[in-house]
Every structure is written in C-alpha cells, then in structure tokens.
Amino acid sequence: MADTIIELKGADLTLGNAAASVHVLKGIDLTVSAAESVGILGPSGSGKSTLLMVLAGLERLDSGEIVIKETPLHRMSEDQVAAFRGRNIGIVFQSFHLIANMTALENVAVPLELANISDPFEVARRELEAVGLGERLSHYPGQLSGGEQQRVAIARALAPSPALLIADEPTGNLDTDTGRQIADLLFAKQAERGMTLLLVTHDPSLAARCSRQIRVRSGRIESDSATPRRAEAAIA
Ligand SMILES: Nc1ncnc2c1ncn2[C@@H]1O[C@H](COP(=O)(O)OP(=O)(O)OP(=O)(O)O)[C@@H](O)[C@H]1O
Ligand SMILES: [Mg+2]
C-alpha cells in the first residue's frame, strides 16, 4: 500500500546474555499508515520500549523484517540505518536525553549538522521558537524546567522534518499540567506536519487521543483497535 510507512513482519528479539536472556518481542506483525497516530499501552516489561527502539532502528531484530518508508532496515548496515534515522525518524524519551554541556540551541543544531542538513543553527532556532523557547536558546539543560527540557527534545526530534515521530512515555516525568501541555504540543505538531506518531504511555486517556490504540502483552500485540477481533468481525 502506497501510504504504508511502517511494516513489521515476524519481528523477533531476545535481549541479554545467557544468564539473563529475555525473549522480548515474539514475532510481532504491525502495519502503520502515514499520518496515523498510534498509542501503545501495556504492562511494565511487556516490550513497548524495545518495540520503539526496533522501530527507531536503535535495536536490531534477531529475525523478521522492518520496512520504514519502503526502506528495509533489516538489510542495512548500522551506519546506513543511522543515516536513515537522522533524516526520517524523530525520537522523544521520558527522561529528555539532552546533552548537558550543550545549550538548547546546540542540542537541536548539532544533530542537524551531523545529518548534513543545511543551515543547522537557523533551523534549530526556528524549531525552538515554534515550541515556545525563543527566549531560552542559550540555556543549558540544567537551567531549564522539565517541561522546557522536553520542549527542547521535541524541537530536536522535529527539526529534520521526520516522517515518523516516536515518543516513549514523553509525559512520564512531568506533572499533570505540564504533561498535558507537552501532549498538546506533540499532537499539534503531528497534525500540522502530517507526521506519523507512535506514542508509548501508561496513561489510557493519552493513548485515547491517538487515532489507533495497540496493547502489548508479553512481547505480543494483544489488541489493536485498527483490527476488529475475529468474533466482533463475525458479528458485524
Ligand atoms: N538489554 C537487556 N537485557 C536483558 N533484558 C532486557 C534488556 N532490555 C530489556 N530487557 C527486558 O525486556 C523486557 C521488556 O523491556 P521494555 O523496556 O521493552 O519494557 P516496557 O514495556 O517498555 O516496560 P515499562 O512500561 O516499564 O517501560 C523487560 O522484561 C526487560 O527486563
Ligand atoms: Mg518502557
């Protein structure tokens, strides 16, 4: 299908060493269309973050296929995957993952520079203004509030204009009001730019704001609101 952005087939992954090995992803199949927003729920340890890491090309599958924007990541070298990620995938983490000794502007501009995107500092300034941080360009992460740090991380993720935005519990370290503002910002940017959003959260009301909800349990997709269960389909 032309508007398919993610195609995961039989995604299987075991992590850890022999003494502590965990079969984390157990043959996951998942197809996501462009501009969809997908809320991913599931118990702690069910494999949600690992699934996102696979989709971001930060974790390699043991077996199975991962195709993003018609690009088969499972057939590419780590360097090729990293170059693809830099231009096509934005990632936001619960704990912000900013570089402490770089200013807000540098945190956004340096990855752009590394991805050979032109005018990195000008693009970074514009992105930080767009998330309301035009007055904080020279601040270091330690001089910013949690919500402001997450805004920097969002600006960094959005700056290369990725087709896919991946967020792992982006509001998990924030108070309720700040968390809502960050969620509003993510959904606004997603709508404005027509991006695909994959959002892991423990908050069902946040997942409900997505157009589709997936529940992961023990390394498998337990339910997917885009696919009616067989019994329901039979009734319909
Ligand atoms: N490097 C690793 N080595 C061994 N086991 C690992 C490794 N990384 C993750 N795991 C295990 O894989 C399972 C899934 O981890 P994952 O972080 O994907 O869960 P999660 O669904 O994101 O949980 P949470 O909601 O707590 O963030 C866990 O049982 C975890 O202990
Ligand atoms: Mg997790």
Side-chain angles (χ1 to χ4, degrees), residues 15-17 20-22 24 42-51 168-169 202:
L15 289 174
N17 50 32
S21 98
V22 180
V24 188
S44 184
S46 57
K48 306 179 297 297
S49 293
T50 307
L51 177 61
D168 194 354
E169 299 189 46
H202 284 285

Side-chain angles (χ1 to χ4, degrees), residues 14 16 31 34 39 46 53 57 68 87 94 102 118 130 149 163 170 175 183 214 219 221 225:
T14 296
T31 303
S46 57
M53 290 303 96
I68 297 187
R87 288 187 165 267
Q94 176 176 0
M102 285 191 192
S118 52
Q149 289 184 59
D175 64 71
I214 285 175
I221 292 181
S225 63

